[in-house]
mmCIF file of all heavy atoms in Angstrom:
data_model
loop_
_atom_site.group_PDB
_atom_site.id
_atom_site.type_symbol
_atom_site.label_atom_id
_atom_site.label_comp_id
_atom_site.label_asym_id
_atom_site.label_seq_id
_atom_site.Cartn_x
_atom_site.Cartn_y
_atom_site.Cartn_z
ATOM 1 N N PRO A 63 12.724 17.321 6.092
ATOM 2 C CA PRO A 63 11.393 16.788 5.780
ATOM 3 C C PRO A 63 11.310 15.310 6.197
ATOM 4 O O PRO A 63 12.282 14.561 6.058
ATOM 5 C CB PRO A 63 11.299 16.918 4.259
ATOM 6 C CG PRO A 63 12.712 16.947 3.793
ATOM 7 C CD PRO A 63 13.530 17.530 4.911
ATOM 8 N N TYR A 64 10.180 14.925 6.722
ATOM 9 C CA TYR A 64 9.962 13.533 7.116
ATOM 10 C C TYR A 64 8.815 12.953 6.305
ATOM 11 O O TYR A 64 7.942 13.682 5.827
ATOM 12 C CB TYR A 64 9.688 13.434 8.613
ATOM 13 C CG TYR A 64 10.888 13.866 9.419
ATOM 14 C CD1 TYR A 64 10.918 15.102 10.040
ATOM 15 C CD2 TYR A 64 12.011 13.048 9.511
ATOM 16 C CE1 TYR A 64 12.037 15.510 10.753
ATOM 17 C CE2 TYR A 64 13.135 13.444 10.217
ATOM 18 C CZ TYR A 64 13.133 14.674 10.836
ATOM 19 O OH TYR A 64 14.244 15.077 11.523
ATOM 20 N N TYR A 65 8.854 11.654 6.165
ATOM 21 C CA TYR A 65 7.901 10.961 5.307
ATOM 22 C C TYR A 65 7.344 9.728 6.005
ATOM 23 O O TYR A 65 7.986 9.168 6.898
ATOM 24 C CB TYR A 65 8.585 10.509 4.007
ATOM 25 C CG TYR A 65 9.165 11.653 3.234
ATOM 26 C CD1 TYR A 65 10.476 12.056 3.446
ATOM 27 C CD2 TYR A 65 8.394 12.347 2.305
ATOM 28 C CE1 TYR A 65 11.014 13.125 2.749
ATOM 29 C CE2 TYR A 65 8.929 13.414 1.609
ATOM 30 C CZ TYR A 65 10.233 13.803 1.834
ATOM 31 O OH TYR A 65 10.751 14.859 1.143
ATOM 32 N N ILE A 66 6.200 9.315 5.544
ATOM 33 C CA ILE A 66 5.654 8.024 5.938
ATOM 34 C C ILE A 66 5.968 7.081 4.790
ATOM 35 O O ILE A 66 5.500 7.276 3.671
ATOM 36 C CB ILE A 66 4.144 8.102 6.216
ATOM 37 C CG1 ILE A 66 3.898 9.030 7.400
ATOM 38 C CG2 ILE A 66 3.586 6.702 6.484
ATOM 39 C CD1 ILE A 66 2.437 9.327 7.678
ATOM 40 N N TRP A 67 6.828 6.129 5.076
ATOM 41 C CA TRP A 67 7.223 5.120 4.098
ATOM 42 C C TRP A 67 6.303 3.919 4.256
ATOM 43 O O TRP A 67 5.903 3.578 5.373
ATOM 44 C CB TRP A 67 8.670 4.702 4.330
ATOM 45 C CG TRP A 67 9.668 5.709 3.852
ATOM 46 C CD1 TRP A 67 10.036 6.865 4.477
ATOM 47 C CD2 TRP A 67 10.426 5.646 2.647
ATOM 48 N NE1 TRP A 67 10.989 7.525 3.726
ATOM 49 C CE2 TRP A 67 11.247 6.798 2.599
ATOM 50 C CE3 TRP A 67 10.499 4.723 1.606
ATOM 51 C CZ2 TRP A 67 12.119 7.040 1.558
ATOM 52 C CZ3 TRP A 67 11.377 4.964 0.564
ATOM 53 C CH2 TRP A 67 12.173 6.119 0.544
ATOM 54 N N HIS A 68 6.001 3.252 3.134
ATOM 55 C CA HIS A 68 5.106 2.092 3.203
ATOM 56 C C HIS A 68 5.479 1.069 2.144
ATOM 57 O O HIS A 68 6.032 1.401 1.101
ATOM 58 C CB HIS A 68 3.648 2.529 3.025
ATOM 59 C CG HIS A 68 3.403 3.219 1.716
ATOM 60 N ND1 HIS A 68 2.907 2.564 0.618
ATOM 61 C CD2 HIS A 68 3.601 4.499 1.326
ATOM 62 C CE1 HIS A 68 2.804 3.418 -0.385
ATOM 63 N NE2 HIS A 68 3.230 4.601 0.015
ATOM 64 N N SER A 69 5.176 -0.176 2.454
ATOM 65 C CA SER A 69 5.432 -1.267 1.519
ATOM 66 C C SER A 69 4.744 -2.524 2.015
ATOM 67 O O SER A 69 4.563 -2.705 3.219
ATOM 68 C CB SER A 69 6.930 -1.536 1.408
ATOM 69 O OG SER A 69 7.170 -2.705 0.628
ATOM 70 N N THR A 70 4.380 -3.392 1.083
ATOM 71 C CA THR A 70 3.855 -4.703 1.459
ATOM 72 C C THR A 70 4.986 -5.557 2.033
ATOM 73 O O THR A 70 4.740 -6.532 2.723
ATOM 74 C CB THR A 70 3.233 -5.440 0.259
ATOM 75 O OG1 THR A 70 4.209 -5.536 -0.780
ATOM 76 C CG2 THR A 70 2.000 -4.708 -0.255
ATOM 77 N N GLY A 71 6.229 -5.181 1.762
ATOM 78 C CA GLY A 71 7.376 -5.936 2.258
ATOM 79 C C GLY A 71 7.846 -5.518 3.645
ATOM 80 O O GLY A 71 8.708 -6.169 4.222
ATOM 81 N N TYR A 72 7.304 -4.419 4.201
ATOM 82 C CA TYR A 72 7.735 -3.969 5.519
ATOM 83 C C TYR A 72 7.002 -4.753 6.593
ATOM 84 O O TYR A 72 5.795 -4.931 6.545
ATOM 85 C CB TYR A 72 7.452 -2.480 5.725
ATOM 86 C CG TYR A 72 8.244 -1.546 4.846
ATOM 87 C CD1 TYR A 72 7.916 -0.212 4.779
ATOM 88 C CD2 TYR A 72 9.321 -1.980 4.082
ATOM 89 C CE1 TYR A 72 8.623 0.674 3.987
ATOM 90 C CE2 TYR A 72 10.037 -1.109 3.284
ATOM 91 C CZ TYR A 72 9.683 0.214 3.244
ATOM 92 O OH TYR A 72 10.387 1.085 2.448
ATOM 93 N N ARG A 73 7.754 -5.205 7.579
ATOM 94 C CA ARG A 73 7.183 -5.895 8.733
ATOM 95 C C ARG A 73 7.382 -5.007 9.949
ATOM 96 O O ARG A 73 8.109 -4.019 9.884
ATOM 97 C CB ARG A 73 7.870 -7.240 8.917
ATOM 98 C CG ARG A 73 9.372 -7.107 9.096
ATOM 99 C CD ARG A 73 10.047 -8.424 9.423
ATOM 100 N NE ARG A 73 11.486 -8.312 9.480
ATOM 101 C CZ ARG A 73 12.177 -7.715 10.437
ATOM 102 N NH1 ARG A 73 11.563 -7.139 11.426
ATOM 103 N NH2 ARG A 73 13.503 -7.681 10.400
ATOM 104 N N SER A 74 6.779 -5.346 11.059
ATOM 105 C CA SER A 74 7.017 -4.562 12.267
ATOM 106 C C SER A 74 8.351 -4.979 12.864
ATOM 107 O O SER A 74 8.862 -6.064 12.591
ATOM 108 C CB SER A 74 5.875 -4.778 13.265
ATOM 109 O OG SER A 74 5.805 -6.129 13.631
ATOM 110 N N GLY A 75 8.952 -4.101 13.651
ATOM 111 C CA GLY A 75 10.176 -4.449 14.352
ATOM 112 C C GLY A 75 11.444 -3.769 13.882
ATOM 113 O O GLY A 75 12.493 -3.930 14.507
ATOM 114 N N TYR A 76 11.421 -3.000 12.788
ATOM 115 C CA TYR A 76 12.616 -2.262 12.384
ATOM 116 C C TYR A 76 12.837 -1.148 13.408
ATOM 117 O O TYR A 76 11.899 -0.522 13.882
ATOM 118 C CB TYR A 76 12.468 -1.657 10.990
ATOM 119 C CG TYR A 76 12.215 -2.661 9.894
ATOM 120 C CD1 TYR A 76 11.123 -2.526 9.052
ATOM 121 C CD2 TYR A 76 13.068 -3.749 9.694
ATOM 122 C CE1 TYR A 76 10.883 -3.441 8.036
ATOM 123 C CE2 TYR A 76 12.829 -4.666 8.676
ATOM 124 C CZ TYR A 76 11.734 -4.505 7.858
ATOM 125 O OH TYR A 76 11.500 -5.414 6.855
ATOM 126 N N THR A 77 14.086 -0.863 13.731
ATOM 127 C CA THR A 77 14.389 0.094 14.790
ATOM 128 C C THR A 77 14.808 1.462 14.249
ATOM 129 O O THR A 77 15.268 1.585 13.117
ATOM 130 C CB THR A 77 15.524 -0.446 15.687
ATOM 131 O OG1 THR A 77 16.670 -0.692 14.883
ATOM 132 C CG2 THR A 77 15.105 -1.734 16.380
ATOM 133 N N VAL A 78 14.645 2.479 15.120
ATOM 134 C CA VAL A 78 15.061 3.836 14.785
ATOM 135 C C VAL A 78 16.551 3.813 14.442
ATOM 136 O O VAL A 78 17.350 3.179 15.122
ATOM 137 C CB VAL A 78 14.785 4.799 15.962
ATOM 138 C CG1 VAL A 78 15.416 6.167 15.711
ATOM 139 C CG2 VAL A 78 13.284 4.940 16.188
ATOM 140 N N GLY A 79 16.908 4.464 13.340
ATOM 141 C CA GLY A 79 18.292 4.524 12.886
ATOM 142 C C GLY A 79 18.615 3.506 11.806
ATOM 143 O O GLY A 79 19.613 3.645 11.110
ATOM 144 N N SER A 80 17.767 2.481 11.657
ATOM 145 C CA SER A 80 18.018 1.504 10.594
ATOM 146 C C SER A 80 17.354 1.973 9.301
ATOM 147 O O SER A 80 16.415 2.753 9.314
ATOM 148 C CB SER A 80 17.529 0.109 10.995
ATOM 149 O OG SER A 80 16.139 0.105 11.215
ATOM 150 N N ARG A 81 17.889 1.489 8.207
ATOM 151 C CA ARG A 81 17.355 1.863 6.896
ATOM 152 C C ARG A 81 16.322 0.829 6.469
ATOM 153 O O ARG A 81 16.545 -0.378 6.607
ATOM 154 C CB ARG A 81 18.472 1.933 5.868
ATOM 155 C CG ARG A 81 17.996 2.448 4.529
ATOM 156 C CD ARG A 81 19.144 2.526 3.544
ATOM 157 N NE ARG A 81 18.605 2.872 2.254
ATOM 158 C CZ ARG A 81 19.004 3.904 1.550
ATOM 159 N NH1 ARG A 81 19.948 4.677 1.992
ATOM 160 N NH2 ARG A 81 18.463 4.151 0.378
#
Side-chain angles (χ1 to χ4, degrees):
Y64 295 104
Y65 301 91
I66 297 173
W67 284 78
H68 59 97
S69 173
T70 56
Y72 294 169
R73 58 174 175 72
S74 61
Y76 300 126
T77 58
V78 171
S80 62
R81 186 179 173 125

